[in-house]
Each structure stands twice: as C-alpha cells, then as structure tokens.
Amino acid sequence: MAVDLASITGMSAPTELLIGGQWSAGRAGSLPVIDPATEDPITEVAAATAADAIDAVDAAHRALPGWAATAPRTRGECLRRAYELMIADTEALARLMVLENGKALRDARAEVTYAAEFFRWYAEEAVRIDGTVTTAPSGANRILVQYQPVGVSVLVTPWNFPAAMATRKIGPALAAGCTVVLKPAKETPLSALAVAAILAEAGVPDGVVNVLPTAAPGPVVGAMLADPRVRKLSFTGSTEVGRQLLHTAADTVTKCSMELGGNAPFLVFADADVDSAVDGAMIAKMRNGGEACTAANRFFVHEAVADEFTAKFAARLAALHVGPGLDDGTDLGPLVNADTRTKVATLVEAATRDGGRVVTGGQAPDRRGYFYTPTVIDHVPPTAGILGVEIFGPVAPIVRFTGTDEAIAMANHTEYGLVSYLYTADLRRALAVAEALEAGMVGINRGVVSDPAAPFGGVKQSGLGREGGHQGLLEFTEAKYIAVDW
Ligand code: NAD
C-alpha cells in the first residue's frame, strides 16, 4: 500500500522522469520504491528505457550551448539559490530520504546539509575557473590554457547517499557549464527527483538537468555511453559495476570519473587517546549506519590498548537504539534491502568460523524491516575473509597488532584505497604512517574526512579522479591549449 508522502514529509515529491524540463511518464511503466523499515512499497516512480535515455541526451545536448555560454556568475547564482532552497527544505528532504533509504533521521538531516554544501561550494567555484598564460620555453610564442566544459555528462549515483552523491556531481558539472543526465539508484529515486525540482525552482533552465529513474540501469546507461554526444561519465558505486562501465566507456573514449568501493582500515596505536579513538570509530563505522564507502571496515588495534578500546567501543555500539529511521530516538535504521542484510549476516557467520569472537550484536532482530544489530567481532585473524570485503553494515571486525610496519602492511593488503583512519599521539608517526598508507584520503585522529571543499577520491581500485574541491570542478572541464604568436 502506497503511503501519503506529502503528509509524512511535508513536501510534494515528484515521481516522474525529468526530461527537457518536462515531468513525464517512462516508457518502461513504473517501479516501486520500498521502505526498508517496513518492507512495504511507499510509492511508484516512472521507469525509463533506453529510448527515454536518448530523449534525455537530446534535451541535454540542446541545452548545452546556452548553458555553457551563460555567465559563470549566473550559473553560480542558480547553484547558490538551490543551496538556500535545499537548506530551507531540510526537514522535508530528510524525511523523504528516510522513507526510501531507511537511515536514521539524524543521518538524513546531516546528509541534506552536506549535499546542499556542494551547491554552495560550486556556486563559489563557478567564477574561479582560471586558465594560464605562459611563455613557451623557446620564447617563440605564448601558451594559453583555458578550461572549457566537457559537454553532456551522464551521472550515475548509488542509494547510500541519495542526495549528496547527486549534488557532488551536479554542482561541479553545472558550475563548469555542462548539462547532465542523472541516473539515480532504483532504491532511492525520490531524493534525486526532489533535488532536480529544487534546481528548476532555483532557475536552472530546462534540459540542463535531466533525471531518469530506471529498473534497467545497464541498457539505459549503455545507450547513453554509446551516444557520441555524451562526453563524460561520472559514476559512484561498486568497483564491480565501475569496471564494467570503464569497458563500455572505452568504445567512445568517454572521459570517466569513478568513485568506487572502499575497505577502510582504522588504526589505533598504543599511544592513542582511547576515548577519542572510540569517538572517531563511532563516526567512521556508524555514520550512515555503516553503509558508506568511507566506513571503517577493518579495525587494527595495538595489543596494549585493544582490551580497553574493544570494551568501550562495544559498549557504545550496544547502547544504540535500533529502529525505523523516522522514530524519535532512533540511532540506527535498517539496511537498505534484504540482500544487504543477508550479505552482512553471512560475513559475520564466516568471521566467527574463522576464529573471531562476537563481543556484541551478531544477529538480525526478529522484526519486520531489514535491521541488523550493531556488532563488534574481536580477535579476527588477519587472514579472515571478512577483511577482504566491503561490509556495508554496522559490523566492526577487530584485528590486534604489535608492530607499526605490520599494521601498515595489513592496512594496505586490499585492492581498495579510498580512505584510512589512524589514531596516535605522536605527530611524527601520524604523518609517516599517513604517507605509507595506500589511500586517496587519510583521517588523522579524526573519524570523518568528507568535505565539499576537499578532493574526495581513491587510489587503486577505489576509483579514478576526485570529487569536491577545485579538482572536482576540473573533472567536468577539458584543458584547451592555444599557441599564440603575438
Ligand atoms: P552499484 O554499483 O550496485 O550501483 C551504483 C549505481 O550504478 C546505481 O545507480 C545502479 O543502478 C547503477 N548500475 C548498476 N548496474 C549497472 C550497470 N550494469 N550499468 C550501469 N549502471 C549500473 O552500487 P550501490 O550498491 O548502489 O552502492 C554501493 C557501492 O557504492 C559501494 O561499493 C560503495 O562503496 C560505493 N560508493 C562509493 C562512493 C565513493 O565516493 N567512492 C560513495 C558512495 C558509495
């Protein structure tokens, strides 16, 4: 039974495709959006086909010359208005997000603020797309470099941060003068559609932002990547799907940015302030219920502080209130769907078979909804399978270590390299270890790194390119070099 979205959220949420400024039905009919806390459908949204995707590319392509030629200040002001509208609508957007994603309302409110900040940051960056003029080493000519918008951009986003992963791409794309087609995850299309409605209200012209929910992401994204008018793919999601899309994008040599999976280590050294490390662990593990690419996935704790850290961390996790995200007092909502819960449960069972000892949690509560209890597993052997997989849930495996080199080697023993966290009171050690860790980002005595002003991204199989900061804008540009003799 569908629910009355307007009465729960206080906003009228769009549920149709957005193509060329028109809200329209999808040629594939509709797809249900499920509330993970009840397992019931909350509404249906229009579902796009490959033909709808080409219509959206047509619209984005038509809108491109006008938007690219729009004054940077005007582009920036549209983004700034969108920031203000999002902030004004924080509560409604957060409630909508909880319904489709399940996360606790507190996390959803934080995400709306974080998501809106990308619009504010890129409103400011739109007027700072600086080129350079230099003299050629031979002295014969000048070298002019200017940054031009790359063109029509396809944006593909995951369900875990349904607003922020969209604004982290739309903000820089629009600031740079690109037009976009956004394909949100089928689990969470409502937040993406609501953000698009806000951009329209903020004055973004028709066709600059198009949105295509679909149950057939392969054909829909494939059709767009095969179209030579599409010049950019910005993808956030799993490494597995990212790899496939890099293959597909190779056929048209489309410029790619890839924000992929993570397997973050969280290192606690013997001299660390344990209480502060536990505070950091709570954020690094439990932000978004553990469903974050930046989630601490493997805890490496020095033997000297392991008992204290584990006891305190487990007590904090055991005290969390698990329940529907919209309920007052909920700290941890459900996982996004049944498959995710099964995966988490299977990993915990395997970790205990591998020799880990469950300190707290370790089961799914007996209730409707895709809930899983916060879990700490101590004495996990370094060879355990759980350490090689992105858990994407509220489960913390702890491995004990004694030597710094041993800890670094274990931390780097993964094909991922998104983020690492470390706690120590010794600045020299902190910086030396940060340099040795194979990761695009490092948090020192800090459990969160995400910031719209900072370059977010991974090394190894965690991705290509950066989002956020000035680098995030350059991803949506091409450098043009002009040789001038004057
Ligand atoms: P996913 O890879 O299954 O899906 C991501 C997006 O790709 C969705 O929109 C999905 O519909 C689409 N997709 C799926 N198959 C596709 C195909 N064959 N062709 C084209 N598009 C396709 O990932 P998910 O489960 O939605 O999200 C979780 C993953 O995202 C985790 O691995 C997480 O680490 C990663 N993630 C990374 C970052 C980052 O910034 N590095 C941020 C958030 C999430």
Side-chain angles (χ1 to χ4, degrees), residues 170-254:
I170 296 171
L174 267 54
C178 298
T179 57
V180 305
V181 182
L182 168 66
K183 196 220 74 62
K186 70 175 187 316
E187 292 83 354
T188 55
L190 297 170
S191 299
L193 293 167
V195 166
I198 283 173
L199 286 160
E201 193 183 340
V204 172
D206 292 352
V208 172
V209 175
N210 306 276
V211 187
L212 298 177
T214 181
V220 163
V221 175
M224 292 193 280
L225 289 182
D227 189 318
R229 295 172 299 173
V230 169
R231 293 313 314 142
K232 170 82 189 179
L233 167 66
S234 178
F235 172 80
T236 297
S238 60
T239 295
E240 188 188 346
V241 173
R243 241 184 242 123
Q244 288 173 30
L245 290 177
L246 281 167
H247 280 288
T248 309
D251 288 337
T252 43
V253 193
T254 299

Side-chain angles (χ1 to χ4, degrees), residues 155-161 165 168-169 183-187 214 216-222 225 235-242 244-245 248 258-263 291-294 336 340 343 390 392 416 418 441 456-458 462-463 467:
L155 316 178
V156 181
T157 51
W159 48 262
N160 64 338
F161 289 101
M165 296 303 97
R168 197 164 78 170
K169 298 181 189 304
K183 196 220 74 62
K186 70 175 187 316
E187 292 83 354
T214 181
V220 163
V221 175
L225 289 182
F235 172 80
T236 297
S238 60
T239 295
E240 188 188 346
V241 173
Q244 288 173 30
L245 290 177
T248 309
M258 294 275 150
E259 294 288 349
L260 307 178
N263 184 0
E291 292 177 310
C293 54
T294 51
V336 75
T340 308
K343 174 187 163 189
E390 199 176 15
F392 241 59
Y416 296 107
L418 190 60
M441 303 174 285
F456 184 107
S462 284
E467 290 193 323

Side-chain angles (χ1 to χ4, degrees), residues 57-248:
V57 172
D58 288 344
H61 188 248
R62 272 196 307 276
L64 181 64
W67 185 247
T70 297
R73 175 69 75 204
T74 306
R75 297 200 301 259
E77 281 170 353
C78 284
L79 289 170
R80 174 70 201 203
R81 272 194 298 280
Y83 159 76
E84 280 159 11
L85 290 167
M86 271 188 87
I87 293 296
D89 274 349
T90 297
E91 193 59 23
L93 289 166
R95 296 178 83 82
L96 188 67
M97 190 187 295
V98 173
L99 282 174
E100 62 178 355
N101 169 283
K103 66 179 70 183
L105 191 52
R106 184 184 312 151
D107 278 332
R109 288 183 185 124
E111 181 180 340
V112 176
T113 308
Y114 174 55
E117 283 295 340
F118 285 102
F119 286 162
R120 177 154 71 166
W121 172 262
Y122 285 107
E124 293 158 351
E125 286 296 286
V127 293
R128 301 193 194 339
I129 310 177
D130 300 334
T132 53
V133 183
T134 51
T135 301
S138 66
N141 61 290
R142 299 293 190 277
I143 295 171
L144 265 66
V145 179
Q146 72 177 132
Y147 290 89
Q148 296 185 314
V150 60
V152 173
S153 301
V154 169
L155 316 178
V156 181
T157 51
W159 48 262
N160 64 338
F161 289 101
M165 296 303 97
T167 61
R168 197 164 78 170
K169 298 181 189 304
I170 296 171
L174 267 54
C178 298
T179 57
V180 305
V181 182
L182 168 66
K183 196 220 74 62
K186 70 175 187 316
E187 292 83 354
T188 55
L190 297 170
S191 299
L193 293 167
V195 166
I198 283 173
L199 286 160
E201 193 183 340
V204 172
D206 292 352
V208 172
V209 175
N210 306 276
V211 187
L212 298 177
T214 181
V220 163
V221 175
M224 292 193 280
L225 289 182
D227 189 318
R229 295 172 299 173
V230 169
R231 293 313 314 142
K232 170 82 189 179
L233 167 66
S234 178
F235 172 80
T236 297
S238 60
T239 295
E240 188 188 346
V241 173
R243 241 184 242 123
Q244 288 173 30
L245 290 177
L246 281 167
H247 280 288
T248 309

Side-chain angles (χ1 to χ4, degrees), residues 265-282 284 296 298-310 313 397-404 407-408 410-411 420-425 429 433 437 443 445:
F266 187 106
L267 287 75
V268 184
F269 289 92
D271 60 357
D273 174 337
V274 173
D275 290 326
S276 153
V278 170
D279 287 344
M282 288 300 292
R298 299 169 294 152
F299 289 82
F300 298 107
V301 185
H302 193 278
E303 192 66 61
V305 289
D307 285 343
E308 183 188 355
F309 175 85
T310 304
F313 187 29
I398 295 178
V399 180
R400 293 165 176 239
F401 73 88
T402 48
T404 300
I408 293 170
M410 288 193 294
S420 301
Y421 306 93
L422 67 101
Y423 275 75
T424 174
R429 189 207 321 263
V433 174
L437 289 169
N445 294 331

